[in-house]
Amino acid sequence: MTDEALWYRRFGPPIDALTLEAAELGARPPGTVRVRMITAPINPSDLIPITGAYGHRVRPPQVAGYEGVGQVVEADHVSAHLVGRRALPLRGPGTWRRYVDCDPSWLVEVPDDLETSVAARAYINPLAALRMLETWPVEGRRVVLTAGGSSCARLLGRWALEAGAREVVVVCRSVSHAASLAELGLIPLSMAEPHAIAAAASRADVAFDAVGGPLAEALLAVMPRTSDFVSYGLLSGESFQPIPTGPKLQRFHLRDRLGTVKPLEWQGWFRKLWPMLRRASLPEARSYPLSDWRQAITAFDEPGRRFKPMLALDDAR
Ligand SMILES: NC(=O)c1ccc[n+]([C@@H]2O[C@H](COP(=O)([O-])OP(=O)(O)OC[C@H]3O[C@@H](n4cnc5c(N)ncnc54)[C@H](OP(=O)(O)O)[C@@H]3O)[C@@H](O)[C@H]2O)c1
């Protein structure tokens, strides 16, 4: 049987650095569970490491992709009950491939009623949003979010309202997101409205920022000293200068929470997420065959995109 995987063997722009490689599917290492992949999303969190931005800890050669869903097709006797189940093979080798062999401790079973395209996106953004809201509770607080059109910001914003936030302002680069964000009860602002952004930031209690650069500096310049500024991404590719008299600067990286979590607590996080994901509003999933991965990445780069490109990993069967 043949496996296919999207490898990067050097750093570079993903469209240049990735190659689709076929190889004979080897024997499953003892103790692992083999998952035949169905689909995986394309997230900034998957693409940024390929560029070398985290070169100090993520080095090629690697199969790309951190999340996705599949069906368990092979397991040892102790994990035999998992065969046939849909599951997330997480925290192992890359997921942008046909088959993933995964440590069963980190494998997450998917509830039967959860849509496959939602399950495929249940890890990186939902878990980051959940952990951030647990670390910086928002009840009764005014919240500002950046990268407002992103999946992560939509989850953060909606779940912040459910957790009792007083208001949630979302700053977007593209106005194409405004209507759908307003439907969620969020207050959309364009990055091209600096005065409105400054007004919202000056009364904010907490900001969750995934953009960095000048936008982060504009928020930091006016946020109250007692507020929290949580940096969790640098989509602009630019860093920012903290302001000594400004808000408390916090950084969030999901990976920092993963180093110490034990399997029981890990599984508990997902039990908490399932009901939240059932009522979540994720962007439409748009599926691309694995062989069309270049089109998927090109679509990912479209400014104002209102869908999540997904790789169909079962299209060859
Ligand atoms: N720290 C962590 O542990 C952690 C965990 C999960 C996610 N994240 C971060 O969360 C962010 C969002 O991820 P996602 O998967 O939710 O993204 P996504 O759904 O793919 O959406 C990306 C969004 O980013 C916006 N964007 C891209 N470049 C931008 C720029 N230079 N300035 C302003 N906006 C820009 C896009 O705006 P347009 O609509 O205008 O194209 C788009 O709405 C990423 O930075 C990711 O690294 C971090």
Side-chain angles (χ1 to χ4, degrees):
M1 220 177 338
T2 307
D3 188 17
E4 279 186 300
L6 273 172
W7 284 86
Y8 59 106
R9 297 188 179 277
R10 62 180 176 85
F11 289 133
I15 203 107
D16 301 327
L18 287 167
T19 52
L20 183 57
E21 298 181 19
E24 188 64 21
L25 182 64
R28 174 179 58 85
T32 64
V33 167
R34 177 159 286 176
V35 175
R36 190 165 62 193
M37 294 301 290
I38 301 171
T39 184
I42 297 182
N43 296 319
S45 308
D46 302 310
L47 298 179
I48 294 168
I50 302 172
T51 65
Y54 307 141
H56 55 288
R57 59 177 182 85
V58 187
R59 302 194 153 276
Q62 303 258 359
V63 173
Y66 285 104
E67 68 176 332
V69 66
Q71 186 180 35
V72 177
V73 289
E74 211 184 295
D76 288 345
H77 181 66
V78 282
S79 304
H81 61 283
L82 294 169
V83 173
R85 300 284 310 163
R86 278 184 312 158
L88 317 179
L90 301 176
R91 306 189 59 187
T95 52
W96 291 1
R97 63 188 311 157
R98 305 277 186 202
Y99 292 88
V100 175
D101 295 330
C102 159
D103 177 341
S105 313
W106 307 120
L107 181 108
V108 178
E109 279 185 75
V110 175
D112 289 336
D113 66 324
L114 200 75
E115 247 184 72
T116 295
S117 73
V118 175
R121 294 178 273 175
Y123 172 41
I124 297 287
N125 288 318
L127 197 52
L130 174 70
R131 302 301 300 161
M132 282 192 270
L133 291 172
E134 285 179 349
T135 310
W136 296 280
V138 293
E139 188 178 355
R141 302 178 89 193
R142 295 178 195 271
V143 179
V144 170
L145 305 175
T146 64
S150 69
S151 302
C152 200
R154 290 175 75 90
L155 293 171
L156 263 173
R158 189 56 224 162
W159 291 347
L161 285 180
E162 289 175 12
R166 259 173 95 177
E167 73 172 18
V168 181
V169 173
V170 282
V171 181
C172 306
R173 183 174 66 174
S174 301
V175 291
S176 57
H177 305 295
S180 67
L181 292 168
E183 268 172 36
L184 294 176
L186 310 171
I187 304 167
L189 283 184
S190 159
M191 271 174 72
E193 296 177 277
H195 297 299
I197 293 172
S202 64
R203 60 173 188 267
D205 300 300
V206 57
F208 296 98
D209 172 55
V211 173
L215 178 59
E217 289 181 349
L219 299 176
L220 285 165
V222 296
M223 283 178 66
R225 195 168 186 169
T226 51
S227 62
D228 292 297
F229 180 93
V230 183
S231 166
Y232 73 99
L234 285 180
L235 283 165
S236 64
E238 290 178 69
S239 187
F240 57 87
Q241 288 301 319
I243 295 183
T245 55
K248 287 168 270 174
L249 184 55
Q250 318 276 3
R251 292 191 194 270
F252 176 84
H253 295 291
L254 188 54
R255 67 173 179 276
D256 295 343
R257 315 290 159 118
L258 299 181
T260 51
V261 68
K262 299 280 184 297
L264 211 60
E265 188 187 5
W266 163 259
Q267 299 291 346
W269 287 349
F270 287 91
R271 276 196 298 279
K272 190 159 187 185
L273 275 176
W274 300 134
M276 297 170 78
L277 281 169
R278 284 189 186 102
R279 57 177 192 269
S281 150
L282 288 172
E284 172 213 337
R286 193 169 293 176
S287 193
Y288 295 81
L290 181 56
S291 54
D292 291 346
W293 65 270
R294 286 174 189 281
Q295 274 128 289
I297 297 213
T298 305
F300 172 90
D301 285 332
E302 270 175 35
R305 154 179 65 78
R306 288 167 60 190
F307 59 89
K308 184 61 104 175
M310 314 275 294
L311 294 169
L313 300 167
D314 58 353
D315 59 305
R317 297 197 283 273

